[in-house]
Amino acid sequence: MMNRADKTAGRTGRIRRAAAGGAVLVAAAVLLTGCGGQNTATPQTVSGTAAPVGSDQTATATSGSDSTNAVAAQSGSSASSTGVSGSEGTPSAASGSSVPACATSRLKITAANFDSGAGHTNFQLVFQNTGTAPCALTGFPGVSFVKIHNTQLGKAASRTSGTTSIVTLAPDAQGYADVQTINGQAGYSATQCDLTTVPTLRVYPPNQTESANIPWNKQECVGSTVQNLQVGPVHSNR
């Protein structure tokens, strides 16, 4: 039979073992809870923040680059377009002048001041600046008779002797070039003269590659051996 002391010792041992077992269960529960929290937080960080933000930043950068390139391309195209038309509207300076040469597109060109006699007809080409800024004419214009499709008839004008000068035209101002043609057959044979009704007088302003056409509708010698046209340099006096 167990005495009182032995019974007391037995109860104390059971209490301690139970307490130790409970502590182990609590520690295990805490460990499992901690591990479970870490596994949940990590996927949220990766999938919920890092991936979408990185993707959005890439998309924005691409879109911004595309927009910038599109604007640059349009600007380049406009410049190219402004450069193409600019070559006509803003020509290089006339030789020896800081004033731009008069572009054909900014000139009104007419024929005036006709005077016939002694087998020749004299007239003037009138160059009027229709632009909004001064421009300059220097040297001889190119002159010839042409028919449909700008096909030349006869020889282009030869140049007379004369001193060239820089003629600066303010807006609406005019410059002049003297031209001479043969009257009728003018001593040539019919074969040599090849008298033809010429529809158009073609004029190139000095130092320009674009021409202007003046309605003519006159009979002129356009034979290949006849020098029918002569032109002088541009000057400022009528």
Side-chain angles (χ1 to χ4, degrees), residues 171-182:
D172 296 324
Q174 297 175 336
Y176 307 89
D178 300 322
V179 185
Q180 185 180 86
T181 65
I182 297 170

Side-chain angles (χ1 to χ4, degrees), residues 132-166:
T132 58
C135 64
L137 293 171
T138 307
F140 296 81
V143 185
S144 59
F145 295 129
V146 295
K147 58 182 180 180
I148 191 170
H149 304 311
N150 260 350
T151 302
Q152 185 170 311
L153 293 170
K155 294 182 178 181
S158 62
R159 296 178 176 182
T160 64
S161 59
T163 303
T164 62
S165 60
I166 298 171

